[in-house]
């Protein structure tokens, strides 16, 4: 089969397999092996680290969406008395799998006359809330279904409950910024609530600053005729921006349709920026390995000057000589990228087994349960990331071959053979 290959490929393959003259039967020279290993390590590290970052992002997003809905529909400054009709209209979109009404307000909470704690208080309908969130499942103490209209009960985030130093059955005073006009002036609205449950979302923003009450109690406190809006759950949360645009066309212009990524735009922008910067930093590892390939090819050209001169005297063109060393460098880059991709994919897909094995072997724990909300290293490998990393590594390796191959093409046969 090799006889049918162009001679540039035959020579390039021979130079890749044979490094030094005294070890022609070796599969690859030591210096080329270092180049392959460097590229493989860089590519593998990029895939593993980006997969872990994606895993953490997916885990945090899942925790956030246990409290948040995929899409919110509301109209500022007004309520939706006939929210059932709007819900049925929105659910004509096949992507919408559930809807539930809500009321939301900023409030201050206190217990026993202690310092006030700020909180986002959301009024929900307990029987409809499972259609859009996992609040009932995340309620660790008490029961989310204990929220009954007129009972004025409240479910707190675990960090908020600890800050208020309350247990189930304790009374919490809620102070709303909306005031009531009295002969003595404007007095803030206040109401006592009984703690009916404590939820654990696993996200500090929600566990430390969110509380839930029955929607009718919220409407009574805020003096609304109906819910402030609807929360929707979609079949695919990743399509929320596109679905939000489609739903915007189904509702009046004065209403706002907002997807979950916009509800936490700052956090997601920070995560994306961090991922891009990490990609750039890790790409430098592959770039260093590619530069090492330059030194490999330079040493090969120096060692093979007599061979180059002989090839030139029997009719090989400078372009053919250049192609030989481009082929050699490209093969090293392809081999390194392939090994790195294979290793990175295997580790990323089995990180839930590899990390515990390393922890047991070394007697350490990378994510202590008493510090972090998760105790295992997550991984979410994206094949798009793998493809971009692999292609980038091959392109860098190819770029590294340009200077040495041009230098080889410029070797003059007479000068190269003078001392042979």
């Amino acid at each position: 089969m090799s006889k049918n290959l162009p001679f540039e490929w035959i020579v390039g393959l021979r130079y890749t397999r044979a490094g030094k003259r005294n070890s022609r039967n070796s599969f690859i020279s030591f210096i080329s092996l270092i180049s392959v290993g460097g590229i493989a390590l860089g590519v593998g590290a990029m895939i593993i680290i980006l997969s872990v970052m994606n895993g953490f992002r997916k885990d945090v997003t899942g925790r956030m969406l246990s409290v948040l809905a995929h899409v919110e529909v509301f109209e500022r400054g007004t309520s939706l008395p006939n929210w059932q009709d709007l819900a049925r209209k929105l659910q004509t979109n096949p992507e919408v799998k559930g809807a539930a009404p809500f009321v939301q307000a900023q409030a201050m909470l206190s217990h026993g006359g202690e310092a006030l704690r700020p909180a986002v208080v959301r009024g929900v309908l307990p029987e409809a809330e499972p259609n859009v969130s996992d609040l009932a499942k995340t309620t660790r103490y008490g029961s989310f279904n204990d929220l009954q209209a007129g009972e004025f009960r409240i479910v707190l985030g675990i960090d908020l409950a600890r800050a208020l130093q309350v247990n189930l059955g304790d009374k919490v005073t809620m102070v709303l910024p909306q005031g009531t006009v009295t002969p003595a002036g404007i007095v803030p609205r206040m109401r006592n609530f009984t703690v009916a449950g404590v939820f654990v979302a696993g996200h500090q923003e929600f566990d430390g600053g969110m509380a839930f009450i029955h929607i009718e109690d919220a409407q009574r406190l805020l003096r609304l005729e109906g819910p402030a809006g609807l929360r929707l759950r979609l079949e695919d949360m990743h399509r929320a921006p596109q679905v939000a645009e489609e739903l915007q066309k189904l509702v009046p212009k004065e209403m706002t349709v907002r997807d979950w990524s916009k509800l936490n735009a700052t956090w997601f922008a920070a995560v994306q920026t961090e991922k891009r910067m990490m990609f750039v930093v890790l790409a430098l590892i592959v770039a260093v390995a590619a530069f090492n390939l330059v030194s490999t090819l330079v040493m090969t050209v120096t060692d093979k000057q007599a061979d180059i001169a002989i090839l030139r005297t029997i009719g090989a063109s400078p372009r053919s000589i250049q192609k030989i060393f481009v082929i050699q460098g490209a093969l090293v880059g392809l081999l390194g990228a392939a090994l790195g991709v294979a290793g990175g994919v295997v580790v990323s897909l089995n990180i839930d087994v590899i990390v515990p094995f390393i922890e047991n072997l070394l007697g350490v724990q990378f994510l202590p349960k008493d510090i972090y909300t998760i105790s295992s290293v997550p991984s979410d490998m994206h094949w798009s990331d793998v493809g971009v990393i692999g292609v980038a590594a091959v392109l860098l390796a190819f770029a590294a071959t340009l200077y040495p191959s041009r230098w080889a093409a410029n070797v003059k046969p007479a000068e190269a053979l003078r001392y042979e």
Side-chain angles (χ1 to χ4, degrees):
M1 181 177 177
S2 61
K3 294 181 180 179
N4 297 325
L5 291 174
F7 87 92
E8 295 95 343
W9 280 89
I10 297 174
V11 177
L13 287 169
R14 183 180 179 85
Y15 284 175
T16 302
R17 293 196 307 269
K20 299 178 182 179
R21 294 180 179 178
N22 59 356
S23 58
R24 290 185 180 276
N25 294 326
S26 61
F27 174 73
I28 196 169
S29 66
F30 177 75
I31 195 71
S32 294
L33 184 61
I34 294 298
S35 299
V36 171
I39 295 174
L41 286 174
V43 170
M46 290 183 71
I47 293 174
I48 295 168
I49 294 176
L50 291 182
S51 297
V52 171
M53 291 183 65
N54 290 333
F56 275 109
R57 179 187 177 185
K58 182 179 180 180
D59 184 85
V60 173
T61 301
R63 293 172 185 269
M64 291 171 61
L65 293 181
S66 68
V67 176
L68 297 176
H70 295 167
V71 175
E72 289 186 357
V73 182
F74 58 93
E75 182 178 352
R76 297 185 184 277
T78 186
S79 58
L80 303 173
N82 300 319
W83 65 270
Q84 295 90 342
D85 295 337
L86 179 61
R88 284 191 290 269
K89 184 177 182 180
L90 294 173
Q91 286 180 304
T92 58
N93 188 306
E95 289 285 340
V96 180
K97 297 303 177 183
F102 77 97
V103 172
Q104 188 164 298
Q106 300 286 338
M108 302 293 289
L109 302 178
S110 69
H111 170 64
E114 299 293 332
L116 296 174
R117 300 285 179 177
V120 175
V121 179
R122 181 177 293 165
V124 297
L125 194 60
E127 55 267 30
E129 191 63 20
N131 297 331
V132 297
S133 74
D134 298 325
L135 276 171
K137 297 179 181 179
T138 60
T139 302
R140 181 173 297 180
Y141 307 104
S143 174
F144 187 78
N145 293 324
D146 286 344
L147 296 179
Q148 301 293 329
E151 297 291 334
F152 291 98
R153 295 176 180 174
I154 190 170
V155 175
L156 304 172
I158 187 167
D159 292 337
L160 181 59
R162 289 171 179 169
L164 294 170
Q165 299 180 357
V166 296
N167 296 310
L168 296 179
D170 290 345
K171 296 292 184 179
V172 173
T173 301
M174 182 185 298
V175 182
L176 296 174
Q178 294 85 351
T180 301
V181 179
T182 66
I186 299 177
V187 178
R189 298 178 196 170
M190 302 176 63
R191 181 75 196 196
N192 288 332
F193 283 80
T194 303
V195 178
V198 176
F199 70 89
V200 182
H203 194 282
Q204 194 277 332
E205 180 181 353
F206 304 132
D207 289 341
M210 185 164 277
F212 294 89
I213 61 176
H214 196 279
I215 191 168
E216 292 188 15
D217 295 341
Q219 291 172 197
R220 190 176 306 175
L221 286 172
L222 297 173
R223 299 178 182 177
L224 298 174
E225 297 180 359
L230 289 177
R231 303 168 68 228
L232 309 176
R233 171 155 286 191
L234 307 181
E235 180 71 24
D236 183 3
M237 69 175 185
H238 298 293
R239 295 198 67 249
Q242 293 83 357
V243 176
E245 293 180 1
E246 297 173 4
L247 296 178
Q248 185 68 67
K249 301 176 183 178
L250 298 178
V251 300
K253 294 182 179 180
E254 58 270 15
M255 298 191 71
T256 301
V257 180
R258 185 172 57 181
D259 66 89
W260 62 273
S261 63
K262 294 181 180 177
L263 292 172
N264 296 271
T266 302
W267 184 82
F268 285 104
V271 170
Q272 286 298 107
T273 302
E274 182 181 9
K275 183 177 178 180
R276 294 191 191 100
M277 293 306 298
M278 185 63 69
F279 183 90
V280 172
V281 172
L282 294 174
L284 294 177
I285 300 176
V286 182
V288 170
F291 281 119
N292 187 41
L293 181 58
V294 175
S295 64
T296 301
L297 292 177
V298 168
M299 294 178 64
T300 305
V301 172
T302 303
D303 185 59
K304 303 296 183 182
Q305 286 200 13
D307 294 355
I308 295 170
I310 293 171
L311 289 172
R312 288 293 309 277
T313 57
I314 62 176
S317 65
R319 184 178 182 85
S320 296
I321 300 299
Q322 184 175 5
K323 188 182 295 186
I324 289 171
F325 291 95
V326 169
I327 290 171
Q328 181 187 358
L331 288 173
V332 171
L334 282 171
L335 181 59
L339 291 175
V341 167
V345 169
V346 169
V347 174
S348 297
L349 294 178
N350 297 278
I351 202 165
D352 56 334
V353 177
I354 296 173
V355 171
F357 173 78
I358 296 175
E359 289 179 338
N360 293 332
L361 184 65
L362 301 179
V364 298
Q365 189 172 11
F366 296 135
L367 297 174
K369 294 181 179 180
D370 55 342
I371 298 178
Y372 301 98
T373 57
I374 58 177
S375 57
S376 60
V377 178
S379 177
D380 182 26
M381 189 189 70
H382 294 173
W383 286 107
S384 58
D385 290 342
V386 174
V388 170
I389 293 169
V391 171
V394 172
L395 291 177
L396 284 172
F398 176 77
T401 66
L402 297 180
Y403 171 73
S405 61
R406 291 190 63 182
W407 180 36
N410 293 328
V411 170
K412 296 179 180 180
E415 295 183 2
L417 293 174
R418 179 177 299 172
Y419 301 104
E420 291 292 331

